[in-house]
């Protein structure tokens, strides 16, 4: 076989380089800015060598000297809210989605296909279309601006996806697994808990990863339903004004705090990304 | 009393009927083969008997007790599946021990160990016990699955094509094993297969299933001497029964397309479209013309070592027959044959049911 001429690699290399600078450039900029002092922030050209200043991070995590100004902006409280909402919402969606996905994979019941379509449709609805309705409903029942209310909404937006992905993983487990157990003296529930669940451990992890990323990034619902007390980090960030104007360092630090978990989770579930998407959402034989 | 009696079992998958009235029995210590083509309803039937599939109608009795709606655990049956059989996270040993550790069939650890080692030794897989499932070959997996069925002494063994994935030698060894199981323990076995030879080798009786219906259930000799349905001819024998589309009229049968005209006894009183069937052994085939023989063409030959299977064509018809190697019939050669009316069976052209008998008056 003839090796390709060097020029064949040139165009892809150029395109990829441009694309990487375009996509990673802002991240790098945020990363550097988050550890710059005020005086270094706006110098042109941007300085690449400087003394790092972690005041922004201290503010976000509510420690050290910057504690008071951070409290004023409320970033550390928003971070706590974000963690609580994301973790609780992820746990709920993963647990319920696992159970629902198993039912959808194994049992025939009236309206199963409609149910699965509905589950998918919850992810297709633009949040802005139902925001007003949620807002009214939440204020009526007293869930407005509560962490509990946000956990509920986060669970809701993730549950359909979790159900679909888990159904895909359960479809990959032969039905003989439960059959073998039931014929040999075990209950179906025992088979589910002790045989099937261990076989889809990777799938559960991937589902939780997906749910966490979506919950962590969620902005639309939180921006309307949790305006002050229950503010999450993405919402707080968009309006982070302090007594001395816009606290850029804190904003950049908070941005990094938002980005890092997403990167970590994507890295952890990277092997399942394609499988989760294709198995779960495109499905083996659809619904 | 039969260990198993299935009465009029029906089941549809969505709108597609899978079983339309399956009835069969298995007596204590009997091996019954459920023989039929792929998609005939074998697996669904076994699933209903095991309690894994809920039938739409019909009854399942075990030792006279109605278990149609009973949980699989209460039925005391074991099943070897066609493909997937072993729990992937367990070793071969733990897979075999699996039933004996369940709430229902629990045994003391020492007894579990004794039985697992005994079953493994019987199937010559003692050296594989420590292995994980992914370290076993297809044949080894299937033997582990059979060993798991052996550690219990269930009321009924359900085997769904348990040997179809195995090579010939292993298959014969396992068939021997099943026979031994029946002999030593009076085991009752329902054995689903599409393989005529496998069914003939192990079964006391063969229940023929096609299109979700049992065509006939009888010992092989009876099926050959007295086939109740044209489908029996299609499923039994290798090569299977020679079948010819024909018309019955005034006591004789004329093959479609102007073949030979026969006058079997069964043709009396029959009229209209029929299927004429003959076991290949009863067809006379010669390499030279003679009185009363019809001419045909050897369309294909299949060398089988000790003999040869030839496919003969004439008009719109064809049949396969095994002939000795000495009979010189090359592909494309002309040949001469006779269809003895005395050995012929007649089946209704629409329902496939047998008409009268083909024996001589």
């Amino acid at each position: 076989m003839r090796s390709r001429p060097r020029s064949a690699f040139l165009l892809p290399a150029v395109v990829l380089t441009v694309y990487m600078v375009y996509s990673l450039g802002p991240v790098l900029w945020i990363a550097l800015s988050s550890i710059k002092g005020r005086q270094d922030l706006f110098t042109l050209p941007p300085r690449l060598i400087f003394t790092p200043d972690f005041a922004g991070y201290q503010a976000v995590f509510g420690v050290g000297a910057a504690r008071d100004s951070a409290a004023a902006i409320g970033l550390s409280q928003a971070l706590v809210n974000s963690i609580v909402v994301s973790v609780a919402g992820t746990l709920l969606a993963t647990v319920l989605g696992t159970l629902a996905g198993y039912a959808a994979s194994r049992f025939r019941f009236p309206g199963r296909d409609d149910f699965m379509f509905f589950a998918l449709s919850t992810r297709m609805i633009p949040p802005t279309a139902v925001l007003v309705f949620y807002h009214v409903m939440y204020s009526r029942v007293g869930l407005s601006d509560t962490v509990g209310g946000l956990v509920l909404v986060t669970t809701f937006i993730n549950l359909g996806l979790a159900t679909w992905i888990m159904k895909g993983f359960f479809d990959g487990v032969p039905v003989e697994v439960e059959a073998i157990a039931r014929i040999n003296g075990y209950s179906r529930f025992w088979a589910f808990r002790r045989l099937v669940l261990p076989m889809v451990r990777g799938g559960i992890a991937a589902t939780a990863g997906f749910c966490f990323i979506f919950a962590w990034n969620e902005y639309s619902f939180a921006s309307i339903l949790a305006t002050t007390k229950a503010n999450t980090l993405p919402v707080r960030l968009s309006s982070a004004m302090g007594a001395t104007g816009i606290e850029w360092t804190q904003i950049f630090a908070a941005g990094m705090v938002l980005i890092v978990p997403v990167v970590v989770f994507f890295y952890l579930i990277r092997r399942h990304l394609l499988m989760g998407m294709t198995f779960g959402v495109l499905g083996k034989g659809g619904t | 009393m039969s260990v198993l009696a299935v009465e009029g079992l029906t089941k549809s998958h969505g709108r597609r009927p899978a079983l339309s009235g399956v009835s069969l029995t298995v007596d204590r210590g009997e091996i019954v083969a459920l023989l039929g083509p792929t998609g005939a309803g074998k697996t669904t039937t076994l699933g209903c008997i095991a309690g894994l599939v809920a039938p739409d109608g019909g009854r399942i009795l075990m030792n006279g007790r109605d278990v149609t709606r009973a949980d699989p655990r209460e039925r005391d049956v074991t099943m070897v599946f066609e493909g997937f059989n072993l729990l992937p996270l367990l070793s071969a040993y733990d897979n075999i021990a699996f039933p004996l550790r369940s709430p229902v069939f629990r045994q003391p650890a020492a007894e579990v160990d004794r039985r697992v080692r005994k079953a493994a030794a019987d199937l010559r897989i003692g050296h594989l016990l420590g292995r994980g499932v992914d370290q076993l070959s297809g044949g080894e997996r299937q033997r582990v699955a059979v060993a798991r069925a052996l550690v219990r002494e269930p009321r009924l063994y359900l085997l769904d094509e348990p040997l179809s994935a195995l090579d010939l030698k292993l298959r014969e060894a396992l068939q021997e094993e099943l026979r031994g199981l029946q002999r030593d323990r009076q085991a009752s076995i329902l054995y689903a297969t599409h393989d005529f030879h496998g069914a003939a080798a192990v079964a006391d009786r063969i229940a023929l299933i096609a299109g979700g219906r049992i065509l006939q259930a009888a010992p092989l000799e009876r099926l050959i001497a007295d086939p109740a349905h044209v489908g029996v001819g299609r499923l039994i024998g290798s090569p299977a029964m020679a079948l010819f589309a024909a018309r019955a009229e005034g006591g004789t049968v004329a093959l479609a397309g102007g073949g030979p005209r026969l006058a079997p006894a069964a043709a009396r009183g029959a009229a209209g479209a029929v299927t004429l069937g003959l076991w290949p052994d009863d067809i006379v085939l010669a390499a030279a013309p003679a009185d009363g023989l019809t001419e045909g063409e050897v369309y294909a030959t299949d060398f089988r070592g000790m003999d040869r299977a030839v496919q003969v064509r004439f008009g719109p018809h064809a049949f396969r027959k095994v002939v000795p190697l000495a009979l010189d019939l090359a592909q494309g050669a002309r040949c001469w044959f006779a269809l003895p009316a005395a050995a012929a069976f007649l089946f209704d052209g629409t329902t496939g049911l047998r008409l009268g008998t083909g024996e001589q008056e």
Side-chain angles (χ1 to χ4, degrees):
Chain A
M1 213 168 62
R2 207 162 57 91
S3 68
R4 292 199 193 186
R6 183 164 299 209
S7 60
F9 296 100
L10 195 63
L11 187 63
V14 169
V15 169
L16 286 178
T17 307
V18 169
Y19 180 70
M20 271 182 60
V21 170
Y22 168 76
S23 55
L24 290 180
V27 177
L28 185 69
W29 189 18
I30 295 173
L32 288 175
S33 300
S34 71
I35 50 172
K36 278 182 183 175
R38 253 173 196 276
Q39 67 281 8
D40 291 328
L41 262 178
F42 299 107
T43 50
L44 268 176
R47 293 164 77 168
L48 289 177
I49 294 159
F50 53 88
T51 323
D53 176 356
F54 294 98
Y57 286 98
Q58 289 175 342
V60 173
F61 291 113
V63 292
R67 207 171 159 170
D68 292 338
S69 73
I73 301 177
L75 283 177
S76 48
Q77 181 57 47
L79 175 64
V80 171
N81 288 345
S82 258
I83 292 172
V84 171
V85 167
S86 303
V87 170
T90 297
L91 280 178
L92 274 171
T94 306
V95 169
L96 296 175
T98 300
L99 296 174
Y102 183 77
S105 168
R106 289 301 198 255
F107 301 118
R108 290 171 166 274
F109 49 87
R112 182 183 67 175
D113 293 354
D114 303 322
F115 165 76
M116 286 308 285
F117 179 76
F118 168 75
L120 190 62
S121 74
T122 58
R123 264 231 77 85
M124 300 194 280
I125 292 173
T128 39
V130 290
L131 267 177
V132 173
F133 172 72
Y134 264 89
H135 179 62
V136 172
M137 187 169 69
Y138 265 44
S139 19
R140 289 281 164 83
V141 296
L143 281 171
S144 271
D145 208 18
T146 62
V147 169
L150 273 192
V151 169
L152 273 185
V153 108
T154 307
T155 306
F156 171 74
I157 57 173
N158 272 330
L159 188 51
L161 182 75
T163 304
W164 268 91
I165 298 179
M166 286 313 300
K167 176 187 181 291
F169 280 101
F170 285 125
D171 283 348
V173 176
V175 293
E176 282 89 349
V177 170
E178 290 101 310
I180 290 164
R182 294 173 69 205
I183 284 173
N184 287 306
Y186 298 86
S187 67
R188 180 187 271 278
F189 183 71
W190 187 92
F192 169 71
R193 207 164 46 93
R194 302 294 299 275
L195 300 176
V196 179
L197 277 189
M199 288 175 75
V200 297
R201 267 181 310 210
I204 295 174
T207 304
F210 274 113
C211 290
F212 182 85
I213 290 168
F214 284 122
W216 187 249
N217 289 345
E218 208 290 316
Y219 177 82
S220 313
F221 282 103
S223 69
I224 298 296
L225 299 179
T227 40
T228 47
K229 281 205 320 284
N231 243 196
T232 57
L233 198 50
V235 176
R236 188 71 256 176
L237 196 54
S238 68
S239 55
M241 300 283 281
T244 50
I246 299 173
E247 293 285 354
W248 287 111
T249 318
Q250 295 186 18
I251 288 176
F252 286 132
M256 283 312 290
V257 170
L258 275 177
I259 290 170
V260 168
V262 174
V263 172
V264 170
F265 272 91
F266 254 95
Y267 181 77
L268 289 178
I269 65 172
R270 69 195 182 286
R271 275 191 307 126
H272 297 291
L273 273 177
L274 200 64
M275 208 157 73
M277 283 300 189
T278 52
F279 263 31
V281 181
L282 301 179
K284 281 204 270 184
T287 51
Chain B
M1 189 185 298
S2 301
V3 170
L4 172 75
V6 175
E7 297 171 358
L9 217 53
T10 58
K11 174 73 187 174
S12 320
H13 296 309
R15 238 167 263 161
R16 195 172 57 82
L19 304 179
S20 13
V22 167
S23 300
L24 63 93
T25 61
V26 178
D27 288 334
R28 181 161 162 70
E30 187 184 32
I31 301 184
V32 174
L34 188 60
L35 175 64
T38 309
K42 301 188 294 288
T43 300
T44 308
T45 303
L46 261 51
C48 288
I49 295 168
L52 301 170
V53 178
D56 298 337
R59 290 207 306 163
I60 298 164
L61 304 170
M62 284 184 176
N63 291 336
R65 193 168 76 87
D66 190 328
V67 296
T68 313
R69 305 265 161 238
D71 191 84
R73 281 176 287 178
E74 298 168 36
R75 303 191 186 206
D76 193 13
V77 301
T78 191
M79 186 159 173
V80 176
F81 297 91
E82 180 174 5
F84 185 95
N85 266 306
L86 301 187
L87 302 168
L89 302 175
L90 303 182
S91 68
Y93 184 100
D94 290 334
N95 260 291
I96 300 173
F98 185 68
L100 303 179
R101 291 169 175 167
S102 75
V104 180
F105 306 112
R106 189 182 299 282
Q107 296 289 329
E111 176 66 9
V112 172
D113 190 63
R114 193 187 68 76
R115 290 209 209 169
V116 170
R117 294 194 186 283
K118 167 84 168 59
D122 285 349
L123 291 162
R124 291 176 290 280
I125 48 170
H127 59 293
L128 303 174
L129 286 176
R131 293 214 193 154
V133 170
D134 49 4
Q135 294 167 289
L136 300 172
S137 74
E140 289 166 348
R141 286 181 196 197
Q142 211 59 13
R143 279 187 285 167
V144 171
V146 174
R148 183 177 59 211
L150 294 187
V151 292
R152 263 171 62 203
E153 293 198 4
R155 197 182 272 168
L156 178 67
Y157 293 82
L158 300 170
L159 310 179
D160 190 4
E161 306 266 10
L163 313 180
S164 60
L166 305 183
D167 63 63
L168 187 63
K169 252 202 158 67
L170 203 50
R171 199 183 316 162
E172 284 172 351
L174 271 176
Q175 283 168 356
E176 204 48 53
E177 212 67 52
L178 291 179
R179 274 293 186 192
L181 184 67
Q182 178 199 29
R183 204 170 44 235
D184 302 341
R185 304 199 197 172
Q186 281 287 294
S188 316
I189 302 175
L190 182 59
Y191 178 106
T193 180
H194 64 261
D195 170 32
F196 165 71
H197 292 291
V202 298
D204 300 310
R205 272 192 309 138
I206 299 178
L208 293 159
I209 184 168
R213 227 180 273 279
I214 299 286
L215 303 176
Q216 190 174 5
L220 182 56
E221 311 83 71
R222 269 288 301 288
L223 294 173
I224 290 171
D226 197 13
H229 192 279
V230 67
V232 176
R234 288 205 184 94
L235 291 168
I236 292 291
S238 173
M241 184 182 262
L243 297 167
F244 309 101
R247 273 200 94 71
E249 212 169 36
T252 63
V253 175
L255 266 57
R261 180 176 284 269
L262 279 76
R268 235 181 300 139
V274 296
T275 304
L276 181 88
L278 275 154
W279 293 115
D281 282 352
D282 293 327
I283 297 176
V284 178
L285 188 61
D291 224 23
L293 297 189
T294 310
E295 187 178 331
E297 185 205 352
V298 178
Y299 179 71
T301 67
D302 181 9
F303 177 63
R304 313 204 308 178
M306 310 292 281
D307 51 29
R308 188 189 343 252
V310 297
Q311 187 176 2
V312 175
R313 278 193 171 183
F314 63 98
H317 305 287
F319 64 85
R320 267 164 65 84
K321 177 178 168 67
V322 175
V323 297
L325 292 178
L327 190 64
D328 184 24
L329 289 173
Q331 193 167 324
R334 292 195 298 164
C335 64
W336 287 265
F337 65 91
L339 307 176
F345 301 98
L346 273 193
F347 303 98
D348 189 288
T350 322
T351 63
L353 289 172
R354 172 90 172 280
L355 300 168
T357 63
E359 281 153 38
Q360 254 168 339
E361 299 156 63

